[in-house]
Structures are given as C-alpha cells and as structure tokens.
Amino acid sequence: MLSYIIRRLLLLPIILLGVTFLIFCVFSLLSPMERLATYVHDPATLKSAQSAERLIDKYHLDDPFPLSYINWINRIVHLDLGWSQTANQSVWEAICQRFPATLELVLYSIIPVILVGIWLGVISAVHHNDMLDQTIRVTAIIGWSLPTFIFGLFVLFIFYGILGWLPPGRLSAWAQDIVYTGANFKSYTHLVTIDALLNGNIPIFLDALRHLIAPIITLSYISWAFLLRITRSSMLETLRKDYVRTARAKGVDEHTVIHLHAQKNAMIPVMTIAGMMIIGMMAGVVITETIFTYPGLGFWAASSAQQLDYGSVISFALLFATLMVLGNLIVDISYALIDPRVRLE
C-alpha cells in the first residue's frame, strides 16, 4: 500500500503542472491588453497607450508562450493571482474572504449526500423490486433528472416566496452587524455556524443555519440521488456474490450478511464515486450560490463572468482544478485503505 501511495504522490506535481498548462492555454487566447486588465487596480491607467505598453512589459505579457507560462507559474507560486475588478481587491484576498462560506455550505451538504444516499441505496437493494424499492428509485430518478437551477428556484419559490421560512443570503441584517462589526463576536474559523457555537451565540447559529438549509437541499439532492443509484447497483451486484450465498447457507442472520459482509464490499466503488462527487460540489456552488445570493466563491465567480473579470474567472478555474486533483489523490489513498487488493500490491 505504501508504494501505491508513493506513486500517487509522485504523480501529483505532474498532474498539477498539466492542469496549469491547460488553463494557461485558455488564458493565452486573450490579447495582452485583456490579460493586463487582470493585474491593473485602476482601469484608468490603461487609457494611455504608453502606460499600457509599459505594464505589458512589466508583467511579461508579450513574451513568447514558454516564457509567459513560466512567469505566470512563478506569480501563482507567490500567490499573485492578479486583481479582481468584481471584488475590488486582489484575487487571493477575494478567495480567502469567500472560501469559508463555500466550505461551510459544502461541508453541511456532504451529510445528506453520504448518509441519505448510501442508506437509501442499501435499503433499495435489500427490498429489490418491491414497493419501497420502486418509491425510492422514482425519487432518485426525479432528483437526478432535475437541473440544479430549476430545483433551486423551486425551493426558493416554495420555502421563501410562499412560506417565508428559508431566506436567501448567508445571514440576516441584524446578524451581519453582530458577526462582522460586533466587538463581542470573535471569528475563529470564519464558518459562521461553528463560530456562533464557540461564541455561545445560539441566535446567530440558528439564523445562519436557517439561511443554509435551502442551499444545502439544492446542492445535495441531485448528488445523493445519483449516489443512491450507484449504491443500489453495487449492493445488488454484491448480494449475488458466492460468499454472500455461502454466508446465508451457513445460517448467518440477514442483518450480519447485509451490513457486515455485503455492504462493506459494496462500498468500495461507492466511496470512490462519493469522494469525487463531494469535490465536484465546488462546481455546483456556482449555480446554487447565485440562486440564493449566498456570498461564496460560486457567487463571486458568476458575478466575475458576467462582468468579464478574466483574472477572477481564471483563478476560480485554477482553484477548482487544483481541488479536483487533490480530491482525486485523497480518494486514491482512501481506496487503498478500503480495498485489501490494493493493500496487497
């Protein structure tokens, strides 16, 4: 297993380099003047042709492709991602400021995806082709078939437009005053729900949770519907294995057969897909956060795309691609821990 993990770690820099190369190829399709806009704080400085040419030389935007790529990588290593016109701050500061909100949303969305998706998938497989199985399958098909923006608008319309229960945004106005400007509220993690508990402020916690519920439902429903189908298929295949039939023939009780023998082995492909699905949620936040005006990375990326803020969009793509690569590495390592065949390599 150690050699398997070492091989994956050695491949990581190569994969990351390939990802940055592909992103830079897209970035290089822009003209030097358009790329320069990603490093200029004040667009008024670009009105003069001489000052623009001087800045292009400064940032090596007119160099040959290989040199431009090397200079771009060097800036990335030093966290110089340019200037975000949308956020009116450096791209790195914009990412650091908005990442906790997105992380909080994704972390809470993982719970229903893993617990509900796997649990219902196992139940559906155990009750194969009966009424309960058919009901769960129809629910999963509906969830997987609905586009995220349609389902999100439906949730917003019902739970906020009609019932008024789950408002958009991250916090109410009174809660924002306490969290962002109050002297008695300390931000330890920048995850509002956790910080509220650490500060002993239950009203802030409940308000933040109320704003999170609708985005969590939207972000997780489609994912757990897909994971349910994968779990059901894997579990049905495992239940037909010879060792499961042997365990039943020996008189092992059904609960032990399902949860100890079958489910453990059926989870190997499921956990692989679940890991990539969780990382892939970072892409889903663009639509979800936009629908609910949730101030995270997704909402910032959508606003940047609308305003042709190239630096912000490219940086978001770079961040998401890096998270996907790192997530794939974590999934590979966890796969080695779960699957004994990999441990024996």
Coordinates of all heavy atoms in Angstrom, one line a residue, residues 27 31-43 46 55-56 59 61 82-85 308-312:
F27 N -6.0 31.0 -21.1 CA -5.7 32.3 -20.7 C -5.0 33.1 -21.8 O -5.1 34.3 -22.1 CB -4.9 32.3 -19.4 CG -4.7 33.7 -18.8 CD1 -5.8 34.6 -18.7 CD2 -3.5 34.1 -18.3 CE1 -5.6 35.8 -18.1 CE2 -3.3 35.3 -17.8 CZ -4.3 36.2 -17.6
S31 N -5.9 38.7 -25.6 CA -4.9 39.6 -26.0 C -4.1 40.1 -24.8 O -4.5 40.0 -23.7 CB -5.5 40.8 -26.7 OG -6.2 41.6 -25.8
P32 N -2.8 40.5 -25.0 CA -2.0 41.1 -23.9 C -2.8 42.2 -23.1 O -2.7 42.3 -21.9 CB -0.8 41.6 -24.6 CG -0.6 40.8 -25.8 CD -2.0 40.5 -26.3
M33 N -3.5 43.0 -23.8 CA -4.3 44.1 -23.2 C -5.4 43.5 -22.3 O -5.6 44.0 -21.2 CB -4.9 45.0 -24.2 CG -5.6 46.2 -23.6 SD -4.4 47.3 -22.7 CE -3.5 48.0 -24.1
E34 N -6.1 42.5 -22.7 CA -7.1 41.8 -21.9 C -6.5 41.1 -20.7 O -7.0 41.2 -19.6 CB -7.9 40.8 -22.7 CG -8.8 41.5 -23.8 CD -9.4 40.5 -24.7 OE1 -8.8 39.5 -25.0 OE2 -10.6 40.7 -25.1
R35 N -5.3 40.5 -20.9 CA -4.7 39.9 -19.7 C -4.1 40.9 -18.8 O -4.1 40.7 -17.6 CB -3.5 39.0 -20.2 CG -4.0 37.6 -20.8 CD -2.9 36.8 -21.2 NE -2.4 37.2 -22.5 CZ -1.2 36.9 -23.0 NH1 -0.3 36.3 -22.2 NH2 -0.8 37.3 -24.2
L36 N -3.7 42.1 -19.3 CA -3.2 43.1 -18.4 C -4.3 43.6 -17.5 O -4.0 44.0 -16.4 CB -2.7 44.3 -19.3 CG -2.2 45.5 -18.5 CD1 -1.0 45.1 -17.7 CD2 -1.7 46.6 -19.5
A37 N -5.6 43.6 -17.9 CA -6.7 44.1 -17.1 C -6.8 43.3 -15.8 O -7.3 43.7 -14.8 CB -8.0 44.0 -17.9
T38 N -6.2 42.0 -15.8 CA -6.3 41.2 -14.6 C -5.2 41.7 -13.5 O -5.3 41.2 -12.4 CB -6.0 39.7 -14.9 OG1 -4.7 39.6 -15.4 CG2 -7.0 39.3 -16.0
Y39 N -4.3 42.5 -13.9 CA -3.3 43.0 -12.9 C -3.4 44.5 -12.6 O -2.6 45.0 -11.8 CB -1.9 42.7 -13.5 CG -1.6 41.2 -13.7 CD1 -1.7 40.6 -14.9 CD2 -1.3 40.4 -12.6 CE1 -1.5 39.3 -15.1 CE2 -1.1 39.1 -12.7 CZ -1.2 38.5 -14.0 OH -1.0 37.1 -14.1
V40 N -4.3 45.2 -13.2 CA -4.4 46.6 -13.0 C -5.5 46.9 -12.0 O -6.7 46.5 -12.1 CB -4.7 47.3 -14.4 CG1 -5.0 48.8 -14.2 CG2 -3.6 47.1 -15.3
H41 N -5.2 47.7 -11.0 CA -6.2 48.1 -10.0 C -7.1 49.2 -10.5 O -8.3 49.1 -10.2 CB -5.4 48.6 -8.7 CG -4.6 47.6 -8.1 ND1 -4.1 47.8 -6.8 CD2 -4.1 46.4 -8.5 CE1 -3.4 46.7 -6.5 NE2 -3.4 45.9 -7.5
D42 N -6.6 50.1 -11.3 CA -7.4 51.2 -11.8 C -7.5 51.2 -13.3 O -6.4 51.4 -14.0 CB -6.8 52.6 -11.3 CG -7.7 53.7 -11.7 OD1 -8.8 53.5 -12.2 OD2 -7.3 54.9 -11.5
P43 N -8.6 50.8 -13.9 CA -8.7 50.8 -15.4 C -8.3 52.1 -16.1 O -8.0 52.0 -17.3 CB -10.2 50.4 -15.6 CG -10.7 49.8 -14.3 CD -9.9 50.5 -13.2
L46 N -5.1 52.3 -18.1 CA -5.0 51.7 -19.4 C -5.3 52.6 -20.6 O -5.3 52.3 -21.7 CB -5.8 50.4 -19.5 CG -5.5 49.3 -18.5 CD1 -6.5 48.2 -18.7 CD2 -4.1 48.9 -18.7
L55 N 3.3 48.5 -18.8 CA 2.7 47.5 -17.9 C 2.8 46.1 -18.5 O 3.0 45.1 -17.8 CB 1.3 47.8 -17.5 CG 1.2 49.0 -16.5 CD1 -0.3 49.4 -16.3 CD2 1.8 48.7 -15.2
I56 N 2.5 46.0 -19.8 CA 2.6 44.8 -20.5 C 4.1 44.2 -20.4 O 4.3 43.0 -20.2 CB 2.2 44.9 -22.0 CG1 0.7 45.1 -22.1 CG2 2.6 43.7 -22.8 CD1 0.2 45.4 -23.5
Y59 N 4.8 42.9 -16.8 CA 4.2 41.6 -16.4 C 4.5 40.5 -17.5 O 4.0 39.4 -17.4 CB 2.7 41.7 -16.3 CG 2.2 42.5 -15.1 CD1 1.7 43.8 -15.2 CD2 2.4 42.0 -13.8 CE1 1.3 44.5 -14.1 CE2 2.0 42.8 -12.7 CZ 1.5 44.0 -12.9 OH 1.1 44.8 -11.8
L61 N 3.7 40.0 -20.6 CA 2.5 39.5 -21.2 C 2.7 39.4 -22.7 O 1.9 38.8 -23.4 CB 1.3 40.4 -20.9 CG 0.9 40.5 -19.5 CD1 -0.2 41.5 -19.3 CD2 0.6 39.2 -18.9
G82 N -3.4 38.3 -9.4 CA -3.9 39.4 -10.1 C -5.0 40.2 -9.2 O -5.1 39.9 -8.0
W83 N -5.7 41.1 -9.9 CA -6.7 41.9 -9.3 C -8.1 41.6 -9.7 O -8.3 41.5 -10.9 CB -6.3 43.4 -9.6 CG -7.2 44.4 -8.9 CD1 -8.3 45.0 -9.4 CD2 -7.1 44.9 -7.6 NE1 -8.8 45.9 -8.5 CE2 -8.1 45.8 -7.3 CE3 -6.2 44.6 -6.5 CZ2 -8.3 46.4 -6.1 CZ3 -6.4 45.2 -5.3 CH2 -7.4 46.2 -5.1
S84 N -9.0 41.5 -8.8 CA -10.4 41.3 -9.1 C -11.1 42.6 -9.2 O -11.3 43.3 -8.2 CB -11.0 40.3 -8.0 OG -12.4 40.2 -8.3
Q85 N -11.6 42.9 -10.4 CA -12.4 44.1 -10.5 C -13.8 44.0 -9.9 O -14.3 44.9 -9.4 CB -12.5 44.5 -12.0 CG -11.2 44.7 -12.8 CD -10.5 45.9 -12.3 OE1 -11.0 46.8 -11.7 NE2 -9.2 45.9 -12.6
L308 N -17.0 40.0 -17.2 CA -15.8 39.7 -17.9 C -14.5 40.0 -17.1 O -13.5 40.6 -17.6 CB -15.8 40.5 -19.2 CG -16.9 40.2 -20.2 CD1 -16.8 41.1 -21.5 CD2 -16.9 38.8 -20.6
D309 N -14.6 39.7 -15.9 CA -13.4 39.8 -15.0 C -12.5 38.6 -15.2 O -12.6 37.6 -14.4 CB -13.9 39.9 -13.5 CG -12.8 40.2 -12.6 OD1 -11.6 40.3 -13.0 OD2 -13.0 40.5 -11.4
Y310 N -11.7 38.6 -16.2 CA -10.9 37.4 -16.6 C -10.0 36.8 -15.5 O -10.0 35.6 -15.3 CB -10.0 37.8 -17.8 CG -10.8 38.3 -19.0 CD1 -10.6 39.6 -19.5 CD2 -11.7 37.5 -19.7 CE1 -11.3 40.1 -20.6 CE2 -12.4 37.9 -20.8 CZ -12.2 39.3 -21.2 OH -12.9 39.7 -22.3
G311 N -9.4 37.7 -14.7 CA -8.5 37.2 -13.7 C -9.2 36.4 -12.6 O -8.7 35.3 -12.2
S312 N -10.4 36.9 -12.2 CA -11.2 36.1 -11.2 C -11.7 34.8 -11.8 O -11.6 33.8 -11.1 CB -12.4 37.0 -10.8 OG -11.9 38.2 -10.2

